[in-house]
């Protein structure tokens, strides 16, 4: 049993008058082990976001099969979606709410019963307890990113996917975010992240798949892969 499995996964975005159809995934086969920190490494446009967005239920695949935590994305889409938390790239968010309110709304969205919500524990885990009742717009960039991580965790998913978690942030904040990712992993969460920084994959991941032009061109334990680069 794997955290995420893909077999011959394909996605072609429909074109428009201005742009031709785009084959973003060209038959991806990938198995991500439970308990790993897995990196999807590749340049912009390689298909990384498309891949994870299919599992997050945000993009519809063209063909192929996939499963999250053993739940087939076609036969059990709700189960698959419940098993995954996705931290998006962009940080535009509910600026008029407080972190506490933002997490409560997310929990409501996922249908987490009030009695089972862990809102304050999650705020604590991402270091935002002190900002519990501040407005989101008053948070620093790093705090907003940590709140995004928190929002992806409200339904207690076994798999956390982070799309370019540190794109455009300075080195200090990058290291801080890496520490949070490691902490979550230590708590038992399987981590999948996309990145175009080799350094990030090298620092964080135990297994790395290299994605280019919609294809996985290599997938190996980190040490093995780095020897060949
Ligand atoms: P990455 O995350 O590796 O940067 P993406 O999955 O975002 O790659 O994109 C893969 C390819 O698909 C790119 O050429 C991108 O322009 C294209 N693409 C992504 N989303 C769409 C979309 N909604 N419509 C059309 N083309 C898209
Ligand atoms: P889906 O097939 O998952 O429903 P669409 O292909 O309908 O997604 O995406 C909607 C539109 O968004 C596309 O037609 C495209 O014009 C636009 N778009 C979004 N992101 C991108 C991107 N990265 N590159 C090119 N077009 C994009």
């Amino acid at each position: 049993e794997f955290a995420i499995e893909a077999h011959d996964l394909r996605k072609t975005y429909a074109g428009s008058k201005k742009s031709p159809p785009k084959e973003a995934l060209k038959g991806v086969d990938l198995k991500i082990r439970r308990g790993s920190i897995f990196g999807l490494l590749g340049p912009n446009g390689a298909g990384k976001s498309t891949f994870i967005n299919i599992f997050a239920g945000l993009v519809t695949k063209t063909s192929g099969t996939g499963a999250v935590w053993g739940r087939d994305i076609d036969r059990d889409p709700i189960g698959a979606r419940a098993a995954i938390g996705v931290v998006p790239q962009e940080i535009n968010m509910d600026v008029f709410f407080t972190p506490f309110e933002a997490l409560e709304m997310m929990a409501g969205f996922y249908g987490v019963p009030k009695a089972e919500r862990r809102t304050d524990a999650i705020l604590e885990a991402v270091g935002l307890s002190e900002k519990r009742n501040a407005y989101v717009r008053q948070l620093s960039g790093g705090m907003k990113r940590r709140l995004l991580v928190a929002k992806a965790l409200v339904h207690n998913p076994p798999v956390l996917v982070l799309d370019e978690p540190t794109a455009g942030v300075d080195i200090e904040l990058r290291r801080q975010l890496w520490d949070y990712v490691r902490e979550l992993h230590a708590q038992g969460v399987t981590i999948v992240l996309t990145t175009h920084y080799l350094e990030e994959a090298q620092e964080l991941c135990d297994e790395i798949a290299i994605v280019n032009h919609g294809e996985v061109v290599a997938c190996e334990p980190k040490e093995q892969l780095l020897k060949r680069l």
Side-chain angles (χ1 to χ4, degrees):
E1 289 276 300
F2 291 90
I4 288 183
E5 270 179 90
H7 298 292
D8 197 22
L9 201 58
R10 293 169 191 271
K11 172 65 182 180
T12 301
Y13 289 103
S16 62
K17 276 183 191 142
K18 281 173 282 175
S19 59
K22 175 73 200 176
E23 213 183 339
L25 294 180
K26 301 173 182 168
V28 169
D29 284 289
L30 205 58
K31 288 190 169 80
I32 299 179
R33 278 190 309 106
R34 295 186 180 186
S36 59
I37 304 189
F38 192 98
L40 282 170
L41 176 67
N44 285 325
K48 306 182 297 294
S49 300
T50 299
F51 181 83
I52 65 171
N53 285 335
I54 288 172
F55 291 95
L58 299 172
V59 166
T60 53
K61 66 187 164 60
T62 304
S63 66
T65 59
V68 183
W69 219 255
R71 297 157 191 178
D72 190 280
I73 57 175
D74 291 311
R75 275 173 289 161
D76 184 10
I78 293 170
R81 207 122 37 119
I84 199 170
V86 179
V87 184
Q89 231 176 87
E90 74 280 6
I91 60 171
N92 54 357
M93 52 203 284
D94 3 83
V95 292
F96 298 112
F97 297 101
T98 67
F100 182 83
E101 290 166 342
L103 292 187
E104 281 290 313
M105 278 192 295
M106 203 65 184
F109 172 77
Y110 274 108
V112 182
K114 287 252 188 227
E116 287 171 28
R117 292 187 190 173
R118 310 169 298 135
T119 305
D120 279 308
I122 295 170
L123 285 172
E124 176 79 43
V126 300
L128 285 176
S129 293
E130 280 176 21
K131 298 291 177 182
R132 185 184 189 273
N133 300 317
Y135 285 108
V136 169
R137 63 178 141 79
Q138 298 169 323
L139 304 185
S140 69
M143 290 173 180
K144 282 183 190 153
R145 284 194 190 247
R146 281 185 269 143
L147 181 56
L148 282 180
V149 174
K151 284 175 73 177
L153 292 170
V154 294
H155 56 304
N156 207 14
V159 186
L160 183 69
V161 176
L162 303 107
D163 197 2
E164 297 277 359
T166 66
V169 312
D170 63 41
I171 185 67
E172 194 183 329
L173 180 53
R174 180 170 303 155
R175 292 195 182 284
Q176 204 189 89
L177 289 164
W178 287 348
D179 284 341
Y180 281 108
V181 170
R182 286 197 194 95
E183 226 169 278
L184 291 167
H185 179 248
Q187 288 163 22
V189 182
T190 298
I191 307 282
V192 179
L193 62 96
T194 75
T195 185
H196 60 275
Y197 297 118
L198 174 61
E199 193 203 350
E200 182 156 80
Q202 213 170 331
E203 179 75 27
L204 269 183
C205 302
D206 49 32
E207 213 160 329
I208 299 172
I210 296 181
V211 187
N212 202 9
H213 298 301
E215 290 175 309
V216 172
V217 294
C219 179
E220 291 176 276
K222 174 175 68 180
E223 283 70 27
Q224 218 166 306
L225 188 70
L226 292 178
K227 264 185 225 153
R228 299 198 294 114
L229 290 181

